[in-house]
Amino acid sequence: LKSRPVMSSATDISSGDGHHLNDSAFVQQAVGWAAVVATLFYFAAPIKDVFGENGIVKTRTNANLATGFPYFASFYNCALWVMYAAGDLPKLMQPLAINILGVSLQLSFLTCYWYYATEKDDLVSCRRAFFGGAFIVVVAFAVCESMHSFKPFGDFAMVMNIIMYYSPLAAFATVVREKSVARMPLAPLVLTLVCSLLWLTYGYMIRDIPIMTPNACGVLLGIAQLSVYAYFSISYGTKRPDDVEANATAEANEQQRLINST
């Protein structure tokens, strides 16, 4: 009788491990590109508010939005991620790809918002956001240059990423004052939660702390933002107070007209 070759067993085990590794790599890539697609929708969500029928460009005013801070935060977030991801390819190809596109989109949004800003406080806020973000990028460059490493870009991107996820809450004061979510768009809030969950999963799979940390915060912030939106939407509706007042006035005038006609 011929004995079974020893190498046969080793080959089978090796083949099994290879399939397992290939499956893991496939899942990792699938999650990464799913996160890219979700983030594309997140970055593109303001297109309606900026370029839509009732958007900033068509109406030539930014009065329909509570704040433009998310555009500035997203722009600098994308810029820092591009710098960080470019230093660790091909591992961070997905973050690099989506953030290059994000830089272009957010730059167009913040430019339109700033150009059509008319209120003094709004103009001051735009300047502060722009130069504050620029200062962070300059500091990041200086730190990376002194350390001769791209890694600090990841730390700065991590902080800016958290600020970006927090930025929709900058409209919270307006929501409370007006008791309306009309100027707090829903789509970015939903996509904040979806993107954070996907990037958190991807970051865990590739063991990247700068990706995991801000997206763990993003999940919590996404839940908080949706909770705020749901509370005010259910309690007070989604119309702006001036719209409600205008409708009430129109109804009162119509009733008075009917009374006078009789």
Side-chain angles (χ1 to χ4, degrees), residues 71-139:
Y71 305 148
F72 292 88
S74 297
F75 171 72
Y76 286 113
N77 168 74
C78 292
L80 286 168
W81 274 111
V82 167
M83 297 168 195
Y84 173 61
D88 195 4
L89 295 175
K91 177 183 174 183
L92 298 180
M93 178 58 71
Q94 287 100 334
L96 177 65
I98 190 57
N99 283 290
I100 288 176
L101 180 59
V103 165
S104 302
L105 285 172
Q106 302 306 321
L107 180 60
S108 68
F109 299 153
L110 74 85
T111 300
C112 292
Y113 184 91
W114 198 348
Y115 182 78
Y116 288 106
T118 55
E119 295 183 7
K120 182 179 179 180
D121 290 344
D122 205 10
L123 289 167
V124 171
S125 297
C126 287
R127 284 194 292 269
R128 286 177 178 173
F130 181 80
F131 290 111
F135 175 75
I136 291 175
V137 172
V138 170
V139 172

Short mmCIF file of all heavy atoms in Angstrom, two decimals, residues 71-139:
data_model
loop_
_atom_site.label_atom_id
_atom_site.label_comp_id
_atom_site.label_asym_id
_atom_site.label_seq_id
_atom_site.Cartn_x
_atom_site.Cartn_y
_atom_site.Cartn_z
N TYR A 71 -19.88 73.12 5.16
CA TYR A 71 -19.12 73.14 3.91
C TYR A 71 -17.65 73.40 4.15
O TYR A 71 -16.78 72.78 3.52
CB TYR A 71 -19.69 74.21 2.97
CG TYR A 71 -21.16 74.08 2.68
CD1 TYR A 71 -21.94 75.21 2.44
CD2 TYR A 71 -21.79 72.84 2.65
CE1 TYR A 71 -23.30 75.10 2.17
CE2 TYR A 71 -23.14 72.72 2.40
CZ TYR A 71 -23.89 73.87 2.16
OH TYR A 71 -25.24 73.75 1.91
N PHE A 72 -17.35 74.32 5.05
CA PHE A 72 -15.96 74.64 5.37
C PHE A 72 -15.29 73.45 6.08
O PHE A 72 -14.16 73.08 5.76
CB PHE A 72 -15.89 75.89 6.25
CG PHE A 72 -16.29 77.15 5.55
CD1 PHE A 72 -17.61 77.56 5.52
CD2 PHE A 72 -15.34 77.93 4.90
CE1 PHE A 72 -17.98 78.72 4.86
CE2 PHE A 72 -15.69 79.10 4.24
CZ PHE A 72 -17.03 79.49 4.22
N ALA A 73 -16.00 72.86 7.05
CA ALA A 73 -15.45 71.72 7.79
C ALA A 73 -15.19 70.55 6.86
O ALA A 73 -14.15 69.88 6.94
CB ALA A 73 -16.41 71.33 8.91
N SER A 74 -16.13 70.29 5.94
CA SER A 74 -15.97 69.17 5.01
C SER A 74 -14.82 69.40 4.04
O SER A 74 -14.09 68.48 3.69
CB SER A 74 -17.27 68.96 4.23
OG SER A 74 -18.33 68.60 5.09
N PHE A 75 -14.65 70.65 3.60
CA PHE A 75 -13.56 70.97 2.67
C PHE A 75 -12.20 70.67 3.29
O PHE A 75 -11.36 69.99 2.68
CB PHE A 75 -13.64 72.44 2.26
CG PHE A 75 -12.45 72.92 1.48
CD1 PHE A 75 -12.25 72.51 0.17
CD2 PHE A 75 -11.52 73.78 2.05
CE1 PHE A 75 -11.14 72.94 -0.56
CE2 PHE A 75 -10.42 74.22 1.34
CZ PHE A 75 -10.22 73.80 0.03
N TYR A 76 -11.98 71.17 4.49
CA TYR A 76 -10.67 70.95 5.13
C TYR A 76 -10.51 69.51 5.58
O TYR A 76 -9.38 68.97 5.59
CB TYR A 76 -10.50 71.92 6.29
CG TYR A 76 -10.23 73.33 5.84
CD1 TYR A 76 -11.15 74.35 6.06
CD2 TYR A 76 -9.07 73.64 5.13
CE1 TYR A 76 -10.92 75.65 5.61
CE2 TYR A 76 -8.83 74.93 4.67
CZ TYR A 76 -9.76 75.93 4.92
OH TYR A 76 -9.53 77.20 4.46
N ASN A 77 -11.60 68.86 5.93
CA ASN A 77 -11.54 67.43 6.26
C ASN A 77 -11.05 66.64 5.05
O ASN A 77 -10.14 65.81 5.15
CB ASN A 77 -12.93 66.95 6.68
CG ASN A 77 -13.02 65.43 6.75
OD1 ASN A 77 -12.49 64.80 7.64
ND2 ASN A 77 -13.71 64.85 5.78
N CYS A 78 -11.64 66.91 3.89
CA CYS A 78 -11.24 66.19 2.67
C CYS A 78 -9.79 66.48 2.31
O CYS A 78 -9.03 65.57 1.92
CB CYS A 78 -12.15 66.59 1.51
SG CYS A 78 -13.85 66.02 1.66
N ALA A 79 -9.38 67.74 2.44
CA ALA A 79 -8.00 68.11 2.10
C ALA A 79 -6.99 67.35 2.96
O ALA A 79 -5.98 66.83 2.46
CB ALA A 79 -7.82 69.62 2.27
N LEU A 80 -7.26 67.26 4.25
CA LEU A 80 -6.33 66.56 5.16
C LEU A 80 -6.32 65.07 4.89
O LEU A 80 -5.26 64.42 4.96
CB LEU A 80 -6.72 66.85 6.61
CG LEU A 80 -6.38 68.26 7.10
CD1 LEU A 80 -7.06 68.55 8.43
CD2 LEU A 80 -4.87 68.42 7.26
N TRP A 81 -7.48 64.49 4.56
CA TRP A 81 -7.52 63.06 4.25
C TRP A 81 -6.76 62.74 2.96
O TRP A 81 -6.13 61.69 2.84
CB TRP A 81 -8.96 62.56 4.15
CG TRP A 81 -9.54 62.18 5.47
CD1 TRP A 81 -10.52 62.82 6.16
CD2 TRP A 81 -9.13 61.08 6.30
NE1 TRP A 81 -10.76 62.18 7.36
CE2 TRP A 81 -9.92 61.12 7.46
CE3 TRP A 81 -8.18 60.08 6.16
CZ2 TRP A 81 -9.79 60.18 8.48
CZ3 TRP A 81 -8.04 59.14 7.18
CH2 TRP A 81 -8.84 59.20 8.32
N VAL A 82 -6.82 63.64 1.98
CA VAL A 82 -6.06 63.45 0.75
C VAL A 82 -4.56 63.40 1.06
O VAL A 82 -3.83 62.54 0.56
CB VAL A 82 -6.36 64.58 -0.27
CG1 VAL A 82 -5.34 64.56 -1.41
CG2 VAL A 82 -7.77 64.41 -0.83
N MET A 83 -4.11 64.31 1.90
CA MET A 83 -2.69 64.36 2.27
C MET A 83 -2.25 63.11 3.03
O MET A 83 -1.16 62.58 2.81
CB MET A 83 -2.42 65.61 3.11
CG MET A 83 -2.67 66.91 2.37
SD MET A 83 -2.67 68.34 3.48
CE MET A 83 -3.42 69.60 2.44
N TYR A 84 -3.12 62.65 3.92
CA TYR A 84 -2.79 61.45 4.71
C TYR A 84 -2.82 60.19 3.85
O TYR A 84 -1.89 59.39 3.87
CB TYR A 84 -3.78 61.32 5.87
CG TYR A 84 -3.65 60.04 6.65
CD1 TYR A 84 -2.46 59.72 7.32
CD2 TYR A 84 -4.70 59.13 6.73
CE1 TYR A 84 -2.33 58.54 8.04
CE2 TYR A 84 -4.59 57.96 7.45
CZ TYR A 84 -3.40 57.65 8.10
OH TYR A 84 -3.29 56.48 8.82
N ALA A 85 -3.90 60.03 3.06
CA ALA A 85 -4.07 58.81 2.27
C ALA A 85 -3.02 58.69 1.18
O ALA A 85 -2.58 57.58 0.85
CB ALA A 85 -5.47 58.78 1.67
N ALA A 86 -2.60 59.82 0.62
CA ALA A 86 -1.61 59.79 -0.46
C ALA A 86 -0.28 59.22 0.01
O ALA A 86 0.52 58.72 -0.79
CB ALA A 86 -1.40 61.19 -1.02
N GLY A 87 -0.02 59.26 1.31
CA GLY A 87 1.24 58.75 1.83
C GLY A 87 1.21 57.28 2.17
O GLY A 87 2.24 56.72 2.58
N ASP A 88 0.05 56.62 2.02
CA ASP A 88 -0.05 55.20 2.39
C ASP A 88 -0.87 54.45 1.36
O ASP A 88 -1.94 53.90 1.65
CB ASP A 88 -0.68 55.07 3.78
CG ASP A 88 -0.48 53.69 4.38
OD1 ASP A 88 0.22 52.87 3.75
OD2 ASP A 88 -1.02 53.42 5.47
N LEU A 89 -0.36 54.45 0.12
CA LEU A 89 -1.01 53.72 -0.96
C LEU A 89 -0.32 52.37 -1.18
O LEU A 89 0.88 52.25 -0.93
CB LEU A 89 -0.97 54.55 -2.24
CG LEU A 89 -1.77 55.86 -2.21
CD1 LEU A 89 -1.53 56.65 -3.50
CD2 LEU A 89 -3.25 55.60 -2.01
N PRO A 90 -1.06 51.33 -1.61
CA PRO A 90 -2.47 51.32 -2.00
C PRO A 90 -3.44 51.08 -0.84
O PRO A 90 -4.64 51.00 -1.07
CB PRO A 90 -2.53 50.17 -2.99
CG PRO A 90 -1.52 49.19 -2.46
CD PRO A 90 -0.41 50.03 -1.89
N LYS A 91 -2.94 50.99 0.37
CA LYS A 91 -3.80 50.66 1.52
C LYS A 91 -4.98 51.62 1.64
O LYS A 91 -6.11 51.20 1.91
CB LYS A 91 -2.98 50.69 2.81
CG LYS A 91 -3.78 50.43 4.07
CD LYS A 91 -2.90 50.56 5.30
CE LYS A 91 -3.70 50.44 6.58
NZ LYS A 91 -2.85 50.64 7.79
N LEU A 92 -4.74 52.91 1.43
CA LEU A 92 -5.78 53.92 1.63
C LEU A 92 -6.28 54.50 0.30
O LEU A 92 -6.60 55.67 0.20
CB LEU A 92 -5.25 55.05 2.53
CG LEU A 92 -4.84 54.63 3.94
CD1 LEU A 92 -4.33 55.83 4.72
CD2 LEU A 92 -6.02 53.99 4.69
N MET A 93 -6.38 53.63 -0.72
CA MET A 93 -6.83 54.08 -2.03
C MET A 93 -8.27 54.60 -1.98
O MET A 93 -8.61 55.62 -2.59
CB MET A 93 -6.73 52.94 -3.04
CG MET A 93 -7.24 53.31 -4.44
SD MET A 93 -6.37 54.75 -5.15
CE MET A 93 -4.78 54.01 -5.49
N GLN A 94 -9.16 53.89 -1.24
CA GLN A 94 -10.56 54.32 -1.18
C GLN A 94 -10.72 55.70 -0.53
O GLN A 94 -11.39 56.57 -1.10
CB GLN A 94 -11.42 53.28 -0.44
CG GLN A 94 -11.68 52.02 -1.24
CD GLN A 94 -10.77 50.90 -0.83
OE1 GLN A 94 -9.67 51.14 -0.35
NE2 GLN A 94 -11.21 49.66 -1.05
N PRO A 95 -10.10 55.94 0.64
CA PRO A 95 -10.19 57.29 1.21
C PRO A 95 -9.62 58.36 0.30
O PRO A 95 -10.16 59.47 0.22
CB PRO A 95 -9.39 57.18 2.52
CG PRO A 95 -9.48 55.74 2.89
CD PRO A 95 -9.46 55.00 1.58
N LEU A 96 -8.53 58.04 -0.41
CA LEU A 96 -7.93 59.03 -1.31
C LEU A 96 -8.89 59.37 -2.44
O LEU A 96 -9.11 60.56 -2.74
CB LEU A 96 -6.62 58.49 -1.89
CG LEU A 96 -5.92 59.41 -2.90
CD1 LEU A 96 -5.47 60.70 -2.24
CD2 LEU A 96 -4.73 58.70 -3.55
N ALA A 97 -9.49 58.35 -3.05
CA ALA A 97 -10.36 58.57 -4.20
C ALA A 97 -11.55 59.46 -3.85
O ALA A 97 -11.85 60.44 -4.55
CB ALA A 97 -10.85 57.23 -4.74
N ILE A 98 -12.24 59.14 -2.77
CA ILE A 98 -13.46 59.88 -2.44
C ILE A 98 -13.15 61.28 -1.93
O ILE A 98 -13.92 62.23 -2.18
CB ILE A 98 -14.31 59.10 -1.41
CG1 ILE A 98 -15.69 59.75 -1.26
CG2 ILE A 98 -13.62 59.00 -0.07
CD1 ILE A 98 -16.48 59.86 -2.55
N ASN A 99 -12.04 61.46 -1.25
CA ASN A 99 -11.74 62.78 -0.71
C ASN A 99 -11.20 63.76 -1.76
O ASN A 99 -11.33 64.97 -1.60
CB ASN A 99 -10.78 62.66 0.47
CG ASN A 99 -11.49 62.21 1.73
OD1 ASN A 99 -12.27 62.94 2.32
ND2 ASN A 99 -11.25 60.96 2.13
N ILE A 100 -10.60 63.25 -2.82
CA ILE A 100 -10.23 64.12 -3.94
C ILE A 100 -11.50 64.72 -4.55
O ILE A 100 -11.58 65.93 -4.83
CB ILE A 100 -9.43 63.35 -5.00
CG1 ILE A 100 -8.02 63.04 -4.48
CG2 ILE A 100 -9.35 64.13 -6.31
CD1 ILE A 100 -7.19 62.19 -5.42
N LEU A 101 -12.51 63.88 -4.73
CA LEU A 101 -13.79 64.37 -5.25
C LEU A 101 -14.45 65.30 -4.23
O LEU A 101 -15.04 66.34 -4.60
CB LEU A 101 -14.71 63.19 -5.56
CG LEU A 101 -16.10 63.52 -6.11
CD1 LEU A 101 -15.97 64.32 -7.42
CD2 LEU A 101 -16.89 62.25 -6.35
N GLY A 102 -14.35 64.95 -2.96
CA GLY A 102 -14.96 65.76 -1.91
C GLY A 102 -14.40 67.16 -1.84
O GLY A 102 -15.14 68.12 -1.60
N VAL A 103 -13.10 67.31 -2.04
CA VAL A 103 -12.47 68.64 -2.02
C VAL A 103 -13.12 69.55 -3.06
O VAL A 103 -13.47 70.70 -2.78
CB VAL A 103 -10.95 68.53 -2.28
CG1 VAL A 103 -10.37 69.90 -2.63
CG2 VAL A 103 -10.24 67.98 -1.05
N SER A 104 -13.32 69.02 -4.26
CA SER A 104 -13.91 69.81 -5.35
C SER A 104 -15.35 70.21 -5.04
O SER A 104 -15.76 71.37 -5.21
CB SER A 104 -13.86 69.03 -6.66
OG SER A 104 -12.53 68.68 -6.98
N LEU A 105 -16.14 69.25 -4.57
CA LEU A 105 -17.55 69.52 -4.27
C LEU A 105 -17.70 70.55 -3.16
O LEU A 105 -18.44 71.52 -3.27
CB LEU A 105 -18.27 68.23 -3.88
CG LEU A 105 -18.60 67.26 -5.03
CD1 LEU A 105 -19.13 65.94 -4.47
CD2 LEU A 105 -19.62 67.87 -5.97
N GLN A 106 -16.97 70.33 -2.06
CA GLN A 106 -17.12 71.22 -0.91
C GLN A 106 -16.60 72.62 -1.21
O GLN A 106 -17.15 73.61 -0.70
CB GLN A 106 -16.38 70.64 0.30
CG GLN A 106 -16.85 69.25 0.72
CD GLN A 106 -18.35 69.19 0.96
OE1 GLN A 106 -18.96 70.10 1.51
NE2 GLN A 106 -18.96 68.07 0.57
N LEU A 107 -15.58 72.73 -2.05
CA LEU A 107 -15.08 74.04 -2.43
C LEU A 107 -16.15 74.82 -3.20
O LEU A 107 -16.33 76.02 -2.98
CB LEU A 107 -13.82 73.90 -3.28
CG LEU A 107 -13.18 75.22 -3.76
CD1 LEU A 107 -12.78 76.09 -2.56
CD2 LEU A 107 -11.97 74.94 -4.65
N SER A 108 -16.87 74.13 -4.07
CA SER A 108 -17.93 74.81 -4.82
C SER A 108 -19.06 75.23 -3.90
O SER A 108 -19.62 76.33 -4.05
CB SER A 108 -18.47 73.89 -5.94
OG SER A 108 -19.17 72.78 -5.40
N PHE A 109 -19.40 74.40 -2.91
CA PHE A 109 -20.48 74.73 -1.98
C PHE A 109 -20.12 75.94 -1.12
O PHE A 109 -20.92 76.87 -0.97
CB PHE A 109 -20.80 73.54 -1.09
CG PHE A 109 -21.27 72.31 -1.82
CD1 PHE A 109 -21.07 71.04 -1.28
CD2 PHE A 109 -21.89 72.41 -3.06
CE1 PHE A 109 -21.50 69.91 -1.95
CE2 PHE A 109 -22.31 71.27 -3.74
CZ PHE A 109 -22.11 70.02 -3.19
N LEU A 110 -18.92 75.89 -0.52
CA LEU A 110 -18.56 76.99 0.40
C LEU A 110 -18.38 78.30 -0.36
O LEU A 110 -18.67 79.38 0.18
CB LEU A 110 -17.32 76.63 1.21
CG LEU A 110 -15.93 76.64 0.56
CD1 LEU A 110 -15.31 78.02 0.56
CD2 LEU A 110 -15.01 75.68 1.32
N THR A 111 -17.93 78.22 -1.62
CA THR A 111 -17.76 79.43 -2.42
C THR A 111 -19.12 80.09 -2.68
O THR A 111 -19.27 81.32 -2.53
CB THR A 111 -17.08 79.11 -3.76
OG1 THR A 111 -15.78 78.53 -3.51
CG2 THR A 111 -16.93 80.37 -4.61
N CYS A 112 -20.11 79.28 -3.06
CA CYS A 112 -21.45 79.82 -3.32
C CYS A 112 -22.07 80.38 -2.04
O CYS A 112 -22.67 81.47 -2.06
CB CYS A 112 -22.34 78.74 -3.91
SG CYS A 112 -21.89 78.21 -5.57
N TYR A 113 -21.93 79.64 -0.95
CA TYR A 113 -22.51 80.11 0.31
C TYR A 113 -21.90 81.44 0.73
O TYR A 113 -22.62 82.38 1.11
CB TYR A 113 -22.29 79.06 1.41
CG TYR A 113 -22.97 79.43 2.71
CD1 TYR A 113 -24.26 79.01 2.98
CD2 TYR A 113 -22.32 80.21 3.66
CE1 TYR A 113 -24.91 79.36 4.16
CE2 TYR A 113 -22.95 80.57 4.85
CZ TYR A 113 -24.23 80.13 5.09
OH TYR A 113 -24.86 80.49 6.26
N TRP A 114 -20.59 81.53 0.64
CA TRP A 114 -19.88 82.74 1.06
C TRP A 114 -20.20 83.91 0.12
O TRP A 114 -20.41 85.04 0.57
CB TRP A 114 -18.38 82.46 1.07
CG TRP A 114 -17.57 83.43 1.87
CD1 TRP A 114 -17.98 84.63 2.39
CD2 TRP A 114 -16.19 83.30 2.25
NE1 TRP A 114 -16.95 85.25 3.04
CE2 TRP A 114 -15.83 84.45 2.98
CE3 TRP A 114 -15.23 82.31 2.02
CZ2 TRP A 114 -14.56 84.64 3.48
CZ3 TRP A 114 -13.95 82.50 2.53
CH2 TRP A 114 -13.62 83.65 3.26
N TYR A 115 -20.25 83.63 -1.17
CA TYR A 115 -20.49 84.69 -2.16
C TYR A 115 -21.86 85.34 -1.97
O TYR A 115 -22.01 86.57 -2.13
CB TYR A 115 -20.39 84.11 -3.57
CG TYR A 115 -20.58 85.13 -4.67
CD1 TYR A 115 -19.55 85.99 -5.03
CD2 TYR A 115 -21.80 85.23 -5.34
CE1 TYR A 115 -19.72 86.93 -6.04
CE2 TYR A 115 -21.98 86.17 -6.35
CZ TYR A 115 -20.95 87.01 -6.69
OH TYR A 115 -21.12 87.95 -7.68
N TYR A 116 -22.86 84.53 -1.61
CA TYR A 116 -24.21 85.06 -1.46
C TYR A 116 -24.57 85.39 -0.01
O TYR A 116 -25.74 85.65 0.29
CB TYR A 116 -25.23 84.06 -2.03
CG TYR A 116 -25.20 84.00 -3.54
CD1 TYR A 116 -24.64 82.90 -4.20
CD2 TYR A 116 -25.70 85.05 -4.31
CE1 TYR A 116 -24.60 82.85 -5.58
CE2 TYR A 116 -25.65 85.00 -5.70
CZ TYR A 116 -25.10 83.91 -6.32
OH TYR A 116 -25.05 83.87 -7.70
N ALA A 117 -23.59 85.38 0.87
CA ALA A 117 -23.83 85.79 2.27
C ALA A 117 -23.97 87.30 2.33
O ALA A 117 -23.16 88.03 1.75
CB ALA A 117 -22.69 85.31 3.16
N THR A 118 -24.99 87.75 3.01
CA THR A 118 -25.24 89.19 3.10
C THR A 118 -25.22 89.70 4.55
O THR A 118 -24.85 90.86 4.79
CB THR A 118 -26.60 89.55 2.47
OG1 THR A 118 -27.63 88.77 3.09
CG2 THR A 118 -26.58 89.28 0.97
N GLU A 119 -25.61 88.85 5.48
CA GLU A 119 -25.64 89.29 6.87
C GLU A 119 -24.22 89.38 7.43
O GLU A 119 -23.37 88.55 7.13
CB GLU A 119 -26.47 88.33 7.72
CG GLU A 119 -27.94 88.29 7.34
CD GLU A 119 -28.73 87.37 8.24
OE1 GLU A 119 -28.14 86.86 9.24
OE2 GLU A 119 -29.92 87.15 7.97
N LYS A 120 -23.98 90.40 8.23
CA LYS A 120 -22.65 90.65 8.77
C LYS A 120 -22.15 89.47 9.60
O LYS A 120 -21.00 89.04 9.45
CB LYS A 120 -22.66 91.92 9.63
CG LYS A 120 -21.30 92.28 10.21
CD LYS A 120 -21.36 93.56 11.02
CE LYS A 120 -19.99 93.90 11.60
NZ LYS A 120 -20.02 95.14 12.41
N ASP A 121 -23.00 88.94 10.47
CA ASP A 121 -22.59 87.80 11.31
C ASP A 121 -22.23 86.59 10.47
O ASP A 121 -21.30 85.84 10.79
CB ASP A 121 -23.71 87.44 12.29
CG ASP A 121 -23.90 88.50 13.36
OD1 ASP A 121 -22.99 89.34 13.53
OD2 ASP A 121 -24.97 88.49 14.02
N ASP A 122 -22.96 86.40 9.38
CA ASP A 122 -22.70 85.27 8.49
C ASP A 122 -21.36 85.43 7.79
O ASP A 122 -20.59 84.47 7.66
CB ASP A 122 -23.83 85.19 7.45
CG ASP A 122 -24.00 83.78 6.90
OD1 ASP A 122 -23.39 82.86 7.47
OD2 ASP A 122 -24.74 83.60 5.93
N LEU A 123 -21.06 86.64 7.34
CA LEU A 123 -19.77 86.90 6.69
C LEU A 123 -18.61 86.68 7.66
O LEU A 123 -17.57 86.12 7.28
CB LEU A 123 -19.75 88.33 6.15
CG LEU A 123 -20.63 88.60 4.93
CD1 LEU A 123 -20.76 90.09 4.68
CD2 LEU A 123 -20.07 87.90 3.70
N VAL A 124 -18.80 87.12 8.89
CA VAL A 124 -17.75 86.92 9.91
C VAL A 124 -17.55 85.43 10.17
O VAL A 124 -16.41 84.95 10.27
CB VAL A 124 -18.14 87.64 11.22
CG1 VAL A 124 -17.18 87.25 12.35
CG2 VAL A 124 -18.12 89.15 11.03
N SER A 125 -18.63 84.67 10.25
CA SER A 125 -18.54 83.22 10.48
C SER A 125 -17.81 82.53 9.33
O SER A 125 -17.00 81.62 9.56
CB SER A 125 -19.95 82.63 10.63
OG SER A 125 -20.60 83.15 11.77
N CYS A 126 -18.08 82.97 8.10
CA CYS A 126 -17.40 82.38 6.93
C CYS A 126 -15.90 82.64 6.99
O CYS A 126 -15.09 81.73 6.74
CB CYS A 126 -17.98 82.96 5.64
SG CYS A 126 -19.64 82.38 5.22
N ARG A 127 -15.53 83.87 7.32
CA ARG A 127 -14.10 84.20 7.41
C ARG A 127 -13.42 83.39 8.51
O ARG A 127 -12.30 82.88 8.32
CB ARG A 127 -13.92 85.70 7.64
CG ARG A 127 -14.13 86.56 6.41
CD ARG A 127 -13.61 87.97 6.61
NE ARG A 127 -14.39 88.70 7.60
CZ ARG A 127 -15.44 89.45 7.31
NH1 ARG A 127 -15.85 89.55 6.06
NH2 ARG A 127 -16.09 90.10 8.26
N ARG A 128 -14.06 83.28 9.64
CA ARG A 128 -13.49 82.52 10.75
C ARG A 128 -13.32 81.05 10.38
O ARG A 128 -12.28 80.44 10.66
CB ARG A 128 -14.37 82.65 11.98
CG ARG A 128 -14.29 84.01 12.67
CD ARG A 128 -15.25 84.08 13.84
NE ARG A 128 -15.15 85.35 14.55
CZ ARG A 128 -15.97 85.73 15.52
NH1 ARG A 128 -16.97 84.92 15.90
NH2 ARG A 128 -15.79 86.90 16.12
N ALA A 129 -14.32 80.48 9.74
CA ALA A 129 -14.26 79.07 9.35
C ALA A 129 -13.16 78.84 8.32
O ALA A 129 -12.40 77.87 8.41
CB ALA A 129 -15.61 78.62 8.80
N PHE A 130 -13.06 79.75 7.35
CA PHE A 130 -12.07 79.58 6.29
C PHE A 130 -10.64 79.69 6.82
O PHE A 130 -9.81 78.82 6.58
CB PHE A 130 -12.29 80.62 5.19
CG PHE A 130 -11.33 80.51 4.05
CD1 PHE A 130 -11.53 79.57 3.06
CD2 PHE A 130 -10.21 81.33 3.96
CE1 PHE A 130 -10.64 79.45 2.00
CE2 PHE A 130 -9.32 81.23 2.92
CZ PHE A 130 -9.53 80.28 1.93
N PHE A 131 -10.37 80.76 7.54
CA PHE A 131 -9.01 80.98 8.03
C PHE A 131 -8.66 80.03 9.18
O PHE A 131 -7.50 79.66 9.35
CB PHE A 131 -8.82 82.43 8.43
CG PHE A 131 -8.80 83.38 7.27
CD1 PHE A 131 -9.84 84.27 7.06
CD2 PHE A 131 -7.75 83.35 6.36
CE1 PHE A 131 -9.82 85.13 5.96
CE2 PHE A 131 -7.73 84.20 5.26
CZ PHE A 131 -8.77 85.09 5.07
N GLY A 132 -9.67 79.64 9.96
CA GLY A 132 -9.42 78.65 11.01
C GLY A 132 -9.01 77.32 10.43
O GLY A 132 -8.06 76.68 10.90
N GLY A 133 -9.71 76.87 9.38
CA GLY A 133 -9.35 75.63 8.71
C GLY A 133 -7.98 75.71 8.04
O GLY A 133 -7.19 74.76 8.10
N ALA A 134 -7.72 76.85 7.41
CA ALA A 134 -6.41 77.04 6.76
C ALA A 134 -5.28 76.97 7.77
O ALA A 134 -4.21 76.40 7.50
CB ALA A 134 -6.39 78.38 6.02
N PHE A 135 -5.51 77.53 8.94
CA PHE A 135 -4.49 77.50 10.00
C PHE A 135 -4.19 76.06 10.42
O PHE A 135 -3.03 75.68 10.60
CB PHE A 135 -4.97 78.32 11.20
CG PHE A 135 -4.05 78.26 12.39
CD1 PHE A 135 -2.86 78.97 12.39
CD2 PHE A 135 -4.37 77.47 13.49
CE1 PHE A 135 -2.00 78.91 13.48
CE2 PHE A 135 -3.52 77.40 14.58
CZ PHE A 135 -2.32 78.12 14.58
N ILE A 136 -5.24 75.24 10.54
CA ILE A 136 -5.05 73.85 10.92
C ILE A 136 -4.22 73.10 9.87
O ILE A 136 -3.33 72.32 10.21
CB ILE A 136 -6.42 73.16 11.12
CG1 ILE A 136 -7.12 73.72 12.35
CG2 ILE A 136 -6.25 71.64 11.26
CD1 ILE A 136 -8.53 73.21 12.56
N VAL A 137 -4.50 73.36 8.60
CA VAL A 137 -3.74 72.70 7.53
C VAL A 137 -2.28 73.13 7.55
O VAL A 137 -1.37 72.29 7.39
CB VAL A 137 -4.37 73.02 6.15
CG1 VAL A 137 -3.48 72.51 5.02
CG2 VAL A 137 -5.75 72.40 6.04
N VAL A 138 -2.02 74.41 7.77
CA VAL A 138 -0.63 74.91 7.83
C VAL A 138 0.11 74.26 9.00
O VAL A 138 1.27 73.84 8.85
CB VAL A 138 -0.62 76.45 7.97
CG1 VAL A 138 0.79 76.95 8.28
CG2 VAL A 138 -1.13 77.09 6.69
N VAL A 139 -0.54 74.18 10.15
CA VAL A 139 0.08 73.54 11.31
C VAL A 139 0.37 72.07 11.01
O VAL A 139 1.44 71.54 11.37
CB VAL A 139 -0.82 73.68 12.55
CG1 VAL A 139 -0.27 72.83 13.71
CG2 VAL A 139 -0.94 75.13 12.98
#
